[in-house]
Amino acid sequence: TRKIVGSVDVYKDSPALVPGLSDPLLTQRLRDLETEGLLVRHVLPTSPVRVEYELTDKGRDLERVVRSIADWAYRWHIDADSH
């Protein structure tokens, strides 16, 4: 969640966030989030063209929920590794 708060160069930053995430799958998920009104896509007139995504108010409203799920997953992943 932290990486997409504000604007982020998703294609540059996402491999570090989600190892093994393919470009087509990332593109589809971003389109889905945009369709649901959670993200806004900004095309920057640079060379090469750059695309950034920004959370909408609706998307930012989910931050607490997503952070709680991430905390839960991290805690249980760590516990699973220690057993």
Side-chain angles (χ1 to χ4, degrees):
T1 60
R2 188 177 307 268
K3 281 300 235 185
I4 205 160
V5 173
S7 292
V8 64
D9 185 344
V10 175
Y11 285 98
K12 181 183 78 174
D13 295 338
S14 63
L17 295 173
V18 185
L21 180 63
S22 68
D23 285 348
L25 182 58
L26 175 60
T27 298
Q28 184 58 51
R29 293 302 170 252
L30 290 169
R31 285 181 183 154
D32 292 345
L33 293 170
E34 187 178 7
T35 298
E36 292 299 323
L38 300 172
L39 294 178
V40 176
R41 182 174 186 257
H42 300 285
V43 178
L44 305 176
T46 59
S47 182
V49 172
R50 186 172 153 169
V51 176
E52 291 185 349
Y53 290 85
E54 182 179 6
L55 286 170
T56 62
D57 288 341
K58 184 178 178 181
R60 279 190 294 278
D61 200 37
L62 286 171
E63 183 177 3
R64 187 178 48 187
V65 174
V66 172
R67 189 174 308 281
S68 292
I69 292 169
D71 290 346
W72 176 87
Y74 178 76
R75 181 175 62 245
W76 284 100
H77 176 72
I78 295 299
D79 287 349
D81 288 346
S82 65
H83 291 3

Coordinates of all heavy atoms in Angstrom, one line a residue:
T1 N 0.8 -1.2 0.0 CA 0.0 0.0 0.0 C 0.9 1.3 0.0 O 0.5 2.2 -0.6 CB -0.9 0.0 1.2 OG1 -0.2 0.0 2.4 CG2 -1.9 -1.1 1.2
R2 N 1.9 1.2 0.7 CA 2.7 2.4 0.9 C 3.3 2.9 -0.4 O 3.4 4.1 -0.7 CB 3.9 2.2 1.9 CG 4.6 3.4 2.3 CD 5.7 3.1 3.3 NE 5.1 2.4 4.4 CZ 4.7 3.0 5.5 NH1 4.7 4.3 5.6 NH2 4.2 2.3 6.5
K3 N 3.6 2.0 -1.3 CA 4.2 2.4 -2.6 C 3.3 3.1 -3.6 O 3.7 3.9 -4.4 CB 4.8 1.2 -3.3 CG 6.1 0.7 -2.8 CD 7.1 1.8 -2.9 CE 8.3 1.4 -3.6 NZ 9.4 2.4 -3.7
I4 N 2.0 2.9 -3.4 CA 1.1 3.5 -4.4 C 0.4 4.7 -3.8 O -0.4 5.4 -4.5 CB 0.1 2.5 -4.9 CG1 -0.4 2.9 -6.3 CG2 -1.0 2.2 -4.0 CD1 -0.9 1.9 -7.1
V5 N 0.6 5.1 -2.5 CA 0.1 6.3 -2.0 C 0.7 7.4 -2.6 O 2.0 7.5 -2.7 CB 0.2 6.3 -0.4 CG1 -0.2 7.6 0.1 CG2 -0.5 5.2 0.2
G6 N 0.0 8.4 -3.1 CA 0.5 9.4 -3.9 C 0.6 8.9 -5.4 O -0.2 8.2 -5.8
S7 N 1.7 9.3 -6.0 CA 1.9 8.7 -7.4 C 3.1 7.8 -7.3 O 4.0 7.9 -6.5 CB 2.2 9.9 -8.3 OG 1.1 10.7 -8.5
V8 N 3.1 6.8 -8.3 CA 4.2 5.9 -8.3 C 4.4 5.4 -9.8 O 3.4 5.3 -10.5 CB 3.9 4.7 -7.4 CG1 2.7 3.9 -7.8 CG2 5.1 3.7 -7.3
D9 N 5.6 5.2 -10.1 CA 5.9 4.6 -11.4 C 5.8 3.1 -11.2 O 6.7 2.4 -10.8 CB 7.3 5.0 -11.8 CG 7.7 4.5 -13.2 OD1 7.0 3.7 -13.8 OD2 8.6 5.1 -13.8
V10 N 4.6 2.6 -11.5 CA 4.2 1.2 -11.1 C 5.1 0.2 -11.8 O 5.6 -0.7 -11.3 CB 2.7 1.0 -11.4 CG1 2.4 -0.5 -11.2 CG2 1.9 1.9 -10.6
Y11 N 5.4 0.4 -13.1 CA 6.2 -0.6 -13.9 C 7.6 -0.6 -13.4 O 8.3 -1.6 -13.4 CB 6.2 -0.3 -15.4 CG 4.8 -0.7 -15.9 CD1 3.8 0.2 -16.1 CD2 4.6 -2.0 -16.2 CE1 2.6 -0.2 -16.6 CE2 3.4 -2.4 -16.7 CZ 2.4 -1.5 -16.9 OH 1.2 -1.9 -17.4
K12 N 8.1 0.5 -12.9 CA 9.5 0.5 -12.4 C 9.5 -0.1 -10.9 O 10.5 -0.8 -10.6 CB 10.0 2.0 -12.3 CG 11.5 2.1 -11.8 CD 11.9 3.5 -11.8 CE 11.3 4.1 -10.6 NZ 11.6 5.4 -10.2
D13 N 8.6 0.3 -10.1 CA 8.6 -0.1 -8.7 C 8.0 -1.5 -8.4 O 8.3 -2.1 -7.4 CB 7.8 0.9 -7.9 CG 8.5 2.3 -7.9 OD1 9.7 2.4 -8.2 OD2 7.9 3.3 -7.7
S14 N 7.1 -2.0 -9.2 CA 6.3 -3.2 -8.9 C 7.2 -4.5 -8.8 O 6.8 -5.3 -8.0 CB 5.2 -3.4 -9.8 OG 5.6 -3.6 -11.1
P15 N 8.2 -4.7 -9.6 CA 8.9 -5.9 -9.5 C 9.5 -6.2 -8.1 O 9.5 -7.3 -7.6 CB 10.0 -5.8 -10.5 CG 9.5 -4.9 -11.5 CD 8.6 -3.9 -10.8
A16 N 9.9 -5.1 -7.4 CA 10.4 -5.2 -6.1 C 9.3 -5.5 -5.1 O 9.6 -6.1 -4.1 CB 11.2 -3.9 -5.7
L17 N 8.1 -5.0 -5.4 CA 7.0 -5.2 -4.5 C 6.4 -6.6 -4.6 O 6.0 -7.2 -3.6 CB 5.9 -4.2 -4.7 CG 6.3 -2.7 -4.5 CD1 5.2 -1.8 -4.9 CD2 6.5 -2.5 -3.0
V18 N 6.3 -7.1 -5.8 CA 5.6 -8.4 -6.1 C 6.5 -9.2 -7.1 O 6.3 -9.1 -8.3 CB 4.2 -8.2 -6.7 CG1 3.5 -9.5 -6.8 CG2 3.4 -7.2 -5.9
P19 N 7.4 -10.0 -6.5 CA 8.3 -10.8 -7.4 C 7.5 -11.7 -8.3 O 6.5 -12.3 -7.9 CB 9.2 -11.6 -6.4 CG 9.1 -10.8 -5.2 CD 7.7 -10.2 -5.1
G20 N 7.9 -11.8 -9.6 CA 7.2 -12.7 -10.5 C 5.9 -12.1 -11.1 O 5.3 -12.8 -11.9
L21 N 5.6 -10.9 -10.8 CA 4.4 -10.3 -11.4 C 4.7 -9.9 -12.9 O 5.6 -9.2 -13.1 CB 4.0 -9.0 -10.6 CG 2.8 -8.3 -11.1 CD1 1.5 -9.1 -11.0 CD2 2.6 -7.0 -10.3
S22 N 3.9 -10.5 -13.8 CA 4.1 -10.3 -15.2 C 3.5 -8.9 -15.6 O 2.6 -8.4 -15.0 CB 3.5 -11.4 -16.0 OG 2.1 -11.3 -15.9
D23 N 4.1 -8.3 -16.6 CA 3.5 -7.1 -17.2 C 2.1 -7.2 -17.6 O 1.3 -6.3 -17.2 CB 4.4 -6.5 -18.3 CG 5.7 -6.0 -17.9 OD1 5.9 -5.7 -16.6 OD2 6.6 -5.7 -18.7
P24 N 1.6 -8.2 -18.3 CA 0.2 -8.3 -18.6 C -0.7 -8.4 -17.4 O -1.8 -7.8 -17.4 CB 0.1 -9.6 -19.5 CG 1.5 -9.8 -20.0 CD 2.4 -9.3 -18.9
L25 N -0.3 -9.1 -16.4 CA -1.1 -9.3 -15.2 C -1.2 -7.9 -14.5 O -2.2 -7.5 -14.0 CB -0.6 -10.4 -14.3 CG -1.4 -10.6 -13.0 CD1 -2.9 -10.9 -13.3 CD2 -0.8 -11.7 -12.2
L26 N 0.0 -7.3 -14.4 CA 0.0 -5.9 -13.7 C -0.9 -5.0 -14.5 O -1.7 -4.2 -13.8 CB 1.4 -5.4 -13.7 CG 1.6 -4.0 -13.1 CD1 1.1 -3.9 -11.7 CD2 3.1 -3.6 -13.2
T27 N -0.8 -4.9 -15.8 CA -1.7 -4.1 -16.6 C -3.1 -4.3 -16.3 O -3.9 -3.4 -16.1 CB -1.3 -4.2 -18.1 OG1 0.0 -3.9 -18.3 CG2 -2.2 -3.4 -19.0
Q28 N -3.5 -5.6 -16.3 CA -4.9 -5.9 -16.1 C -5.4 -5.5 -14.7 O -6.5 -5.0 -14.6 CB -5.2 -7.4 -16.3 CG -6.6 -7.8 -16.2 CD -7.5 -7.1 -17.2 OE1 -7.2 -7.1 -18.4 NE2 -8.6 -6.5 -16.7
R29 N -4.6 -5.7 -13.7 CA -5.0 -5.4 -12.3 C -5.1 -3.9 -12.2 O -6.0 -3.4 -11.5 CB -4.0 -5.9 -11.3 CG -4.0 -7.4 -11.2 CD -5.3 -8.0 -10.8 NE -5.4 -9.4 -10.9 CZ -6.0 -10.1 -11.9 NH1 -6.7 -9.4 -12.8 NH2 -6.0 -11.4 -11.9
L30 N -4.2 -3.1 -12.8 CA -4.3 -1.7 -12.7 C -5.5 -1.2 -13.4 O -6.2 -0.3 -13.0 CB -3.0 -1.0 -13.3 CG -1.7 -1.2 -12.5 CD1 -0.5 -0.8 -13.3 CD2 -1.8 -0.4 -11.2
R31 N -5.8 -1.8 -14.6 CA -7.1 -1.4 -15.3 C -8.3 -1.7 -14.4 O -9.3 -0.9 -14.4 CB -7.2 -2.1 -16.6 CG -6.2 -1.6 -17.7 CD -6.4 -2.3 -19.0 NE -5.4 -1.9 -19.9 CZ -5.0 -2.6 -20.9 NH1 -5.4 -3.8 -21.1 NH2 -4.1 -2.0 -21.8
D32 N -8.3 -2.9 -13.8 CA -9.4 -3.2 -12.9 C -9.6 -2.2 -11.8 O -10.7 -1.8 -11.5 CB -9.2 -4.6 -12.3 CG -9.3 -5.7 -13.3 OD1 -9.7 -5.5 -14.4 OD2 -8.8 -6.9 -12.9
L33 N -8.5 -1.8 -11.2 CA -8.5 -0.8 -10.1 C -9.0 0.5 -10.6 O -9.7 1.2 -9.8 CB -7.2 -0.7 -9.4 CG -6.7 -2.0 -8.6 CD1 -5.2 -1.9 -8.2 CD2 -7.6 -2.3 -7.4
E34 N -8.6 0.9 -11.8 CA -9.0 2.1 -12.4 C -10.5 2.1 -12.7 O -11.2 3.0 -12.4 CB -8.2 2.4 -13.6 CG -8.5 3.8 -14.3 CD -7.6 4.0 -15.5 OE1 -6.9 3.1 -16.0 OE2 -7.7 5.1 -16.0
T35 N -11.0 1.0 -13.2 CA -12.4 0.8 -13.5 C -13.2 0.9 -12.2 O -14.3 1.5 -12.2 CB -12.7 -0.6 -14.2 OG1 -11.9 -0.6 -15.4 CG2 -14.1 -0.8 -14.5
E36 N -12.7 0.4 -11.1 CA -13.5 0.4 -9.9 C -13.4 1.8 -9.2 O -13.9 2.0 -8.1 CB -12.9 -0.7 -8.9 CG -13.2 -2.1 -9.4 CD -14.7 -2.4 -9.5 OE1 -15.5 -1.9 -8.7 OE2 -15.1 -3.1 -10.4
G37 N -12.6 2.7 -9.8 CA -12.5 4.0 -9.2 C -11.5 4.1 -8.0 O -11.6 5.1 -7.3
L38 N -10.6 3.2 -7.9 CA -9.6 3.2 -6.9 C -8.3 3.9 -7.3 O -7.6 4.4 -6.4 CB -9.3 1.8 -6.4 CG -10.5 1.0 -5.9 CD1 -10.1 -0.5 -5.6 CD2 -11.0 1.6 -4.6
L39 N -8.0 3.9 -8.6 CA -6.8 4.6 -9.1 C -7.2 5.5 -10.2 O -8.2 5.3 -10.9 CB -5.9 3.6 -9.7 CG -5.2 2.5 -8.8 CD1 -4.4 1.6 -9.7 CD2 -4.3 3.2 -7.8
V40 N -6.3 6.5 -10.4 CA -6.4 7.4 -11.6 C -5.1 7.3 -12.3 O -4.0 7.3 -11.7 CB -6.6 8.9 -11.1 CG1 -6.6 9.8 -12.3 CG2 -7.9 9.1 -10.4
R41 N -5.2 7.1 -13.6 CA -4.0 6.9 -14.4 C -3.6 8.3 -15.0 O -4.5 9.0 -15.6 CB -4.4 6.0 -15.6 CG -3.3 5.6 -16.5 CD -3.8 4.6 -17.5 NE -2.7 4.1 -18.3 CZ -2.6 4.4 -19.6 NH1 -3.4 5.3 -20.2 NH2 -1.6 3.9 -20.3
H42 N -2.3 8.6 -14.9 CA -1.8 9.9 -15.5 C -0.7 9.5 -16.5 O 0.3 8.8 -16.2 CB -1.1 10.7 -14.4 CG -2.1 11.1 -13.3 ND1 -3.0 12.1 -13.5 CD2 -2.2 10.7 -12.0 CE1 -3.7 12.2 -12.3 NE2 -3.2 11.4 -11.4
V43 N -0.9 9.9 -17.7 CA 0.1 9.7 -18.8 C 0.9 11.0 -18.9 O 0.4 12.1 -19.1 CB -0.5 9.4 -20.1 CG1 0.5 9.3 -21.2 CG2 -1.4 8.2 -20.0
L44 N 2.2 10.9 -18.6 CA 3.1 12.1 -18.6 C 3.8 12.2 -20.0 O 4.3 11.3 -20.5 CB 4.1 12.0 -17.5 CG 3.6 11.7 -16.1 CD1 4.7 11.5 -15.1 CD2 2.7 12.8 -15.7
P45 N 3.7 13.4 -20.5 CA 4.3 13.7 -21.9 C 5.8 13.8 -21.9 O 6.4 14.8 -22.2 CB 3.6 15.0 -22.3 CG 3.4 15.7 -21.0 CD 3.1 14.6 -20.0
T46 N 6.4 12.7 -21.5 CA 7.9 12.7 -21.5 C 8.4 11.7 -22.6 O 7.6 11.1 -23.2 CB 8.4 12.2 -20.1 OG1 7.9 10.8 -19.9 CG2 8.0 13.1 -19.0
S47 N 9.7 11.7 -22.8 CA 10.2 10.8 -23.7 C 11.2 9.8 -23.0 O 12.2 10.3 -22.5 CB 10.9 11.5 -24.9 OG 11.4 10.6 -25.8
P48 N 10.9 8.6 -22.9 CA 9.7 7.9 -23.3 C 8.5 8.3 -22.5 O 8.7 8.8 -21.4 CB 10.0 6.4 -23.1 CG 11.0 6.4 -22.0 CD 11.8 7.7 -22.2
V49 N 7.3 8.0 -23.0 CA 6.1 8.3 -22.2 C 6.1 7.6 -20.9 O 6.5 6.4 -20.8 CB 4.8 7.9 -23.1 CG1 3.6 8.0 -22.2 CG2 4.7 8.8 -24.3
R50 N 5.7 8.3 -19.9 CA 5.7 7.7 -18.6 C 4.2 7.7 -18.0 O 3.5 8.6 -18.2 CB 6.6 8.5 -17.6 CG 6.7 7.9 -16.3 CD 7.8 8.7 -15.5 NE 7.5 8.6 -14.1 CZ 8.3 8.9 -13.2 NH1 9.5 9.5 -13.5 NH2 8.0 8.8 -11.9
V51 N 3.8 6.6 -17.4 CA 2.5 6.5 -16.8 C 2.6 6.3 -15.3 O 3.4 5.5 -14.8 CB 1.7 5.2 -17.4 CG1 0.4 5.1 -16.7 CG2 1.6 5.4 -18.9
E52 N 1.9 7.1 -14.6 CA 1.8 7.0 -13.1 C 0.4 6.8 -12.7 O -0.5 7.2 -13.4 CB 2.4 8.3 -12.5 CG 3.9 8.5 -12.6 CD 4.4 9.7 -11.9 OE1 3.6 10.5 -11.3 OE2 5.6 9.8 -11.8
Y53 N 0.2 6.2 -11.5 CA -1.1 6.0 -11.0 C -1.2 6.6 -9.6 O -0.2 6.7 -8.9 CB -1.3 4.5 -10.8 CG -1.5 3.8 -12.1 CD1 -0.4 3.4 -12.9 CD2 -2.8 3.6 -12.7 CE1 -0.5 2.8 -14.1 CE2 -2.9 3.0 -13.9 CZ -1.8 2.6 -14.6 OH -1.9 2.0 -15.9
E54 N -2.4 7.1 -9.3 CA -2.6 7.8 -8.0 C -3.9 7.2 -7.4 O -4.8 7.0 -8.1 CB -2.7 9.3 -8.3 CG -2.9 10.1 -7.0 CD -3.0 11.6 -7.3 OE1 -3.0 12.0 -8.5 OE2 -3.1 12.4 -6.4
L55 N -3.8 7.0 -6.1 CA -5.0 6.5 -5.5 C -6.1 7.7 -5.4 O -5.7 8.8 -5.2 CB -4.7 6.1 -4.0 CG -3.9 4.8 -3.8 CD1 -3.5 4.7 -2.4 CD2 -4.8 3.7 -4.2
T56 N -7.3 7.3 -5.6 CA -8.4 8.2 -5.5 C -8.8 8.3 -4.0 O -8.2 7.5 -3.2 CB -9.6 7.7 -6.3 OG1 -10.0 6.5 -5.7 CG2 -9.3 7.6 -7.8
D57 N -9.7 9.1 -3.6 CA -10.2 9.1 -2.2 C -10.7 7.8 -1.9 O -10.5 7.3 -0.8 CB -11.3 10.2 -2.1 CG -10.7 11.6 -2.1 OD1 -9.5 11.8 -1.9 OD2 -11.5 12.5 -2.3
K58 N -11.5 7.1 -2.8 CA -12.0 5.8 -2.6 C -10.9 4.8 -2.3 O -11.0 4.0 -1.4 CB -12.8 5.4 -3.8 CG -13.5 4.1 -3.7 CD -14.4 3.8 -4.9 CE -15.1 2.4 -4.9 NZ -15.8 2.2 -6.1
G59 N -9.8 4.9 -3.1 CA -8.7 4.0 -2.9 C -7.9 4.2 -1.6 O -7.6 3.3 -0.9
R60 N -7.7 5.5 -1.3 CA -7.1 5.9 0.0 C -7.9 5.4 1.2 O -7.3 5.1 2.2 CB -6.8 7.4 0.1 CG -5.6 7.8 -0.7 CD -5.2 9.2 -0.4 NE -6.2 10.2 -0.9 CZ -6.3 10.6 -2.1 NH1 -5.4 10.1 -3.0 NH2 -7.2 11.4 -2.5
D61 N -9.2 5.4 1.1 CA -10.1 4.9 2.1 C -9.8 3.5 2.5 O -10.1 3.0 3.6 CB -11.5 5.2 1.8 CG -12.5 5.2 3.0 OD1 -12.1 5.7 4.0 OD2 -13.6 4.7 2.8
L62 N -9.3 2.7 1.6 CA -9.0 1.3 1.8 C -7.6 1.0 2.5 O -7.3 -0.1 2.9 CB -9.0 0.5 0.5 CG -10.4 0.2 -0.1 CD1 -10.2 -0.3 -1.5 CD2 -11.2 -0.7 0.8
E63 N -6.9 2.1 2.7 CA -5.5 1.9 3.2 C -5.4 1.2 4.5 O -4.7 0.3 4.7 CB -4.8 3.2 3.3 CG -3.3 3.1 3.7 CD -2.6 4.4 3.8 OE1 -3.1 5.4 3.6 OE2 -1.4 4.3 4.1
R64 N -6.3 1.6 5.4 CA -6.3 0.9 6.8 C -6.6 -0.6 6.7 O -6.0 -1.4 7.3 CB -7.3 1.6 7.7 CG -7.2 1.2 9.1 CD -8.2 2.0 9.9 NE -9.5 2.0 9.2 CZ -10.5 2.6 9.6 NH1 -10.5 3.4 10.6 NH2 -11.7 2.6 8.9
V65 N -7.6 -0.9 5.8 CA -7.9 -2.3 5.7 C -6.8 -3.1 5.0 O -6.4 -4.2 5.5 CB -9.2 -2.4 4.8 CG1 -9.5 -3.9 4.5 CG2 -10.4 -1.7 5.5
V66 N -6.2 -2.6 4.0 CA -5.1 -3.3 3.3 C -3.9 -3.4 4.2 O -3.3 -4.5 4.2 CB -4.8 -2.5 2.0 CG1 -3.5 -3.1 1.3 CG2 -5.9 -2.6 1.0
R67 N -3.6 -2.4 5.0 CA -2.5 -2.4 5.9 C -2.7 -3.5 7.0 O -1.8 -4.3 7.3 CB -2.3 -1.1 6.6 CG -1.0 -1.0 7.4 CD -0.7 0.4 7.9 NE -0.7 1.4 6.9 CZ 0.3 1.7 6.0 NH1 1.4 0.9 6.1 NH2 0.1 2.7 5.2
S68 N -4.0 -3.6 7.4 CA -4.3 -4.7 8.4 C -4.1 -6.1 7.8 O -3.5 -7.0 8.5 CB -5.7 -4.5 8.9 OG -5.9 -3.4 9.7
I69 N -4.5 -6.3 6.6 CA -4.3 -7.6 5.9 C -2.9 -7.8 5.7 O -2.4 -9.0 6.0 CB -5.1 -7.6 4.6 CG1 -6.6 -7.6 4.9 CG2 -4.7 -8.8 3.8 CD1 -7.5 -7.4 3.7
A70 N -2.1 -6.8 5.3 CA -0.7 -7.0 5.1 C 0.0 -7.4 6.4 O 0.9 -8.2 6.5 CB -0.1 -5.8 4.5
D71 N -0.3 -6.7 7.5 CA 0.2 -7.0 8.8 C -0.1 -8.4 9.2 O 0.8 -9.1 9.7 CB -0.3 -6.0 9.9 CG 0.2 -4.6 9.7 OD1 1.2 -4.4 9.0 OD2 -0.3 -3.7 10.4
W72 N -1.3 -8.8 9.0 CA -1.7 -10.2 9.4 C -0.9 -11.2 8.6 O -0.4 -12.2 9.1 CB -3.2 -10.4 9.1 CG -3.7 -11.8 9.3 CD1 -4.1 -12.4 10.5 CD2 -3.7 -12.8 8.3 NE1 -4.5 -13.7 10.3 CE2 -4.2 -14.0 9.0 CE3 -3.4 -12.9 7.0 CZ2 -4.4 -15.2 8.3 CZ3 -3.6 -14.1 6.3 CH2 -4.1 -15.2 6.9
A73 N -0.8 -11.0 7.2 CA 0.0 -11.9 6.4 C 1.4 -12.0 6.8 O 2.0 -13.0 6.8 CB -0.2 -11.5 4.9
Y74 N 2.0 -10.8 7.1 CA 3.4 -10.8 7.5 C 3.6 -11.6 8.8 O 4.5 -12.4 8.9 CB 3.9 -9.3 7.7 CG 5.3 -9.2 8.1 CD1 6.4 -9.5 7.2 CD2 5.6 -9.0 9.5 CE1 7.7 -9.4 7.7 CE2 6.9 -8.9 9.9 CZ 8.0 -9.1 9.0 OH 9.3 -9.0 9.4
R75 N 2.7 -11.4 9.8 CA 2.8 -12.0 11.1 C 2.7 -13.5 10.9 O 3.5 -14.3 11.4 CB 1.8 -11.5 12.0 CG 1.8 -12.2 13.4 CD 0.8 -11.6 14.4 NE -0.5 -11.8 14.0 CZ -1.4 -10.8 13.6 NH1 -1.0 -9.5 13.7 NH2 -2.6 -11.1 13.3
W76 N 1.8 -14.0 10.1 CA 1.6 -15.4 9.9 C 2.6 -16.1 9.0 O 3.0 -17.2 9.2 CB 0.2 -15.7 9.5 CG -0.8 -15.6 10.6 CD1 -1.6 -14.5 10.9 CD2 -0.9 -16.5 11.7 NE1 -2.2 -14.7 12.1 CE2 -1.9 -15.9 12.6 CE3 -0.4 -17.7 12.0 CZ2 -2.3 -16.6 13.8 CZ3 -0.8 -18.4 13.2 CH2 -1.7 -17.8 14.0
H77 N 3.2 -15.3 8.1 CA 4.3 -15.8 7.3 C 5.5 -16.0 8.1 O 6.2 -17.0 8.0 CB 4.5 -14.8 6.1 CG 5.7 -15.3 5.3 ND1 5.7 -16.3 4.4 CD2 7.0 -14.7 5.2 CE1 6.8 -16.5 3.8 NE2 7.6 -15.5 4.3
I78 N 5.8 -15.1 9.0 CA 7.0 -15.2 9.9 C 6.8 -16.3 10.8 O 7.7 -17.1 11.0 CB 7.2 -13.8 10.7 CG1 7.5 -12.7 9.7 CG2 8.2 -14.0 11.8 CD1 8.8 -12.9 8.9
D79 N 5.6 -16.5 11.4 CA 5.3 -17.6 12.3 C 5.4 -18.9 11.6 O 6.0 -19.9 12.2 CB 3.9 -17.5 12.9 CG 3.8 -16.4 14.0 OD1 4.9 -15.9 14.4 OD2 2.7 -16.0 14.4
A80 N 5.0 -19.0 10.4 CA 5.1 -20.3 9.6 C 6.5 -20.6 9.3 O 6.9 -21.8 9.4 CB 4.3 -20.1 8.3
D81 N 7.4 -19.6 9.1 CA 8.8 -19.9 8.9 C 9.5 -20.4 10.1 O 10.5 -21.1 10.0 CB 9.5 -18.6 8.3 CG 9.1 -18.3 6.9 OD1 8.5 -19.2 6.2 OD2 9.4 -17.2 6.5
S82 N 9.0 -20.0 11.3 CA 9.7 -20.4 12.5 C 9.3 -21.8 13.0 O 9.9 -22.3 14.0 CB 9.4 -19.3 13.6 OG 8.1 -19.3 14.0
H83 N 8.3 -22.4 12.4 CA 7.9 -23.7 12.9 C 8.5 -24.8 12.1 O 8.7 -24.9 11.0 CB 6.3 -23.9 12.8 CG 5.6 -23.0 13.8 ND1 6.3 -22.2 14.7 CD2 4.3 -22.9 14.1 CE1 5.4 -21.5 15.4 NE2 4.2 -22.0 15.1

